[in-house]
Amino acid sequence: MTTTTENQGGGSPSSSTAFMGRAFFSLRRGAQVVSMEQGQEQDLDLFQSHVADRLLALMPAHGSGGEAYPLLSLAFLSKLLDALLSCDEEFRSLLGRNHTCLLAKSPADRAVNDLLDRAVKSLDVCNAVTLALHSLRHWHRHALIAASALLPAHPGEGPLNRARRALAKLFASCPNSPFAASARTEGSGSSGRSASSHMRALSSTVSRNWSSSRPMPPVPAHLATPRGGEAGGAGMALAVYAMSSALAFTMWALAAAVPSQDRGSGASSSPVSPRQHLPWAGAMLGLQDRITEESRRRRSAAGLLAEMQGVERCGRELMEAVGESGPPQSPSEDMAARAAELAEACRRLDEGLGPLERQVREVFHRMVRSRAEVLRCVEQSTRAAAVLPNPPLVS
């Protein structure tokens, strides 16, 4: 009698235990999925915060002595490239921490295509900037010759004529770009062959479509901010968008500061218009606005790079002091002082050129490797999405 009562209203103890076990593992699996998705979202949000921190660090500090360094200077471009390389390193690390599967989800898939396209265009910009920086050394040499000839307190007729010829070559190179005339003058000699071999080396790892002989390519404008999409895909899309925006902004600033021989100086329209709720939007928009303002304010034959403009200004002052021919227009002491200022401007320019050339080269090769890594992750993500179904929803 007792046994009959205990068995009423249920199955065997083993079947009840099996049901409870399945429910437990289903809930546990669901909790693991939710925990993983929350961890992914935190990583993606943290990446965007780090992009914001690096952009904010680029804003020149104001103090009693003015700005620590001006925008569109060699120091600014060096910090900008460092920030880009740091963002790229963290982005690639992000892909390696169980985030690859999100690349196939919408709208991350569209954002990735845009990043891959911009990576290709950045290679052309790096090639053109490297060629421009190499040519800038010949422009700088004319200024240095003029300064060296007039540094003695009482230069004779020979040093005066040598300085005048060097200054004439310096300013003959200035219209539209400081590189055009010097590139034509030096292109037939050993320095031209050196530049050509250097650029071939820079492009040796990529296809012929990324040729360094092409002029500075236009930086594509106005990235579209991702909207909506699948769970996880939206967060990854915003992270990819942040990386694309950092890359587009860097190439835009480089192209503005270092004009190529096919166009004059000046910054084109801002390439990124992010939505205000993004952590890095304020810093990005602030930097773009200030660079655009500097571009309008600094209109000059020598371009927007601060050190180039310093050489141009000191060179013009020295040319006014020596005159075009005959006796100098200013006393010897005044000429020597202006020559010393030009020599100092040349020193500042020369000090920053080598490091920047190396950084541009590093960015070039890093973008080649990063693009290959993203393509590999996209292929892996696509295969995983095709094979593995979505995990069941747990109510």
Side-chain angles (χ1 to χ4, degrees):
M1 191 66 149
T2 303
T3 305
T4 304
T5 304
E6 288 177 351
N7 289 337
Q8 287 177 350
S12 65
S14 60
S15 63
S16 177
T17 302
F19 172 78
M20 292 176 63
R22 286 194 298 270
F24 171 76
F25 284 115
S26 178
L27 288 171
R28 184 178 179 183
R29 182 182 179 186
Q32 288 175 338
V33 170
V34 171
S35 177
M36 184 179 71
E37 289 181 349
Q38 289 177 344
Q40 288 175 338
E41 290 297 331
Q42 289 175 354
D43 284 347
L44 297 173
D45 291 343
L46 189 61
F47 171 70
Q48 294 204 61
S49 296
H50 288 170
V51 172
D53 293 340
R54 293 180 181 106
L55 290 174
L56 285 171
L58 293 172
M59 296 292 288
H62 291 275
S64 57
E67 295 184 347
Y69 55 85
L71 288 168
L72 297 183
S73 64
L74 291 172
F76 170 80
L77 294 178
S78 179
K79 288 176 68 72
L80 175 60
L81 294 181
D82 277 342
L84 176 67
L85 291 171
S86 180
C87 289
D88 175 72
E89 183 176 357
E90 185 173 352
F91 179 71
R92 292 172 68 180
S93 175
L94 196 69
L95 294 180
R97 295 200 302 269
N98 299 320
H99 296 79
T100 301
C101 60
L102 301 178
L103 294 178
K105 293 185 176 183
S106 175
D109 52 351
R110 296 189 295 273
V112 165
N113 289 334
D114 188 74
L115 174 61
L116 293 172
D117 180 63
R118 287 175 187 277
V120 173
K121 292 180 171 62
S122 73
L123 301 180
D124 280 330
V125 175
C126 287
N127 270 330
V129 167
T130 301
L131 182 59
L133 292 175
H134 185 88
S135 299
L136 179 55
R137 290 189 178 279
H138 307 299
W139 186 77
H140 158 269
R141 187 181 64 184
H142 297 313
L144 193 58
I145 290 172
S148 301
L150 297 178
L151 279 175
H154 300 283
E157 184 178 353
L160 272 174
N161 290 332
R162 185 160 61 251
R164 285 165 175 159
R165 287 195 299 270
L167 289 170
K169 290 179 181 178
L170 177 72
F171 293 110
S173 305
C174 273
N176 297 324
S177 167
F179 315 115
S182 60
R184 288 193 297 269
T185 302
E186 307 291 344
S188 59
S190 60
S191 59
R193 289 191 295 272
S194 173
S196 177
S197 63
H198 177 75
M199 296 308 300
R200 283 198 299 271
L202 192 61
S203 302
S204 61
T205 58
V206 297
S207 75
R208 294 171 184 252
N209 291 331
W210 302 338
S211 169
S212 62
S213 63
R214 288 187 289 176
M216 183 80 75
V219 178
H222 304 305
L223 284 161
T225 307
R227 297 175 182 272
E230 305 174 41
M236 175 54 83
L238 289 175
V240 175
Y241 173 67
M243 188 65 230
S244 293
S245 298
L247 180 58
F249 170 69
T250 301
M251 295 301 115
W252 174 74
L254 274 176
V258 186
S260 68
Q261 53 188 294
D262 65 302
R263 63 172 175 79
S265 62
S268 58
S269 59
S270 305
V272 187
S273 301
R275 297 206 300 270
Q276 292 287 349
H277 74 278
L278 296 174
W280 47 271
M284 175 75 75
L285 292 171
L287 283 167
Q288 289 182 153
D289 288 345
R290 291 191 61 176
I291 289 175
T292 301
E293 181 183 346
E294 285 291 305
S295 174
R296 296 193 187 102
R297 185 176 65 83
R298 285 195 206 172
R299 287 295 179 183
S300 165
L304 299 182
L305 190 63
E307 289 81 0
M308 291 164 57
Q309 293 199 334
V311 170
E312 183 199 19
R313 176 183 56 79
C314 293
R316 291 196 183 281
E317 291 176 357
L318 184 58
M319 177 169 274
E320 291 175 1
V322 300
E324 295 184 3
S325 61
Q329 302 295 315
S330 301
S332 298
E333 293 76 10
D334 184 47
M335 283 195 305
R338 296 190 184 209
E341 291 178 0
L342 179 57
E344 175 61 20
C346 289
R347 184 193 63 78
R348 289 195 296 267
L349 177 60
D350 187 56
E351 272 187 354
L353 278 179
L356 186 62
E357 285 175 324
R358 289 191 292 272
Q359 283 180 299
V360 172
R361 187 159 55 247
E362 183 180 357
V363 167
F364 180 94
H365 292 296
R366 179 75 71 83
M367 289 302 106
V368 171
R369 293 194 298 270
S370 295
R371 188 174 186 275
E373 176 68 11
V374 172
L375 283 171
R376 185 192 65 77
C377 291
V378 168
E379 184 179 355
Q380 179 182 338
S381 176
T382 303
R383 285 201 308 265
V387 173
L388 297 178
N390 293 327
L393 297 176
V394 179
S395 59

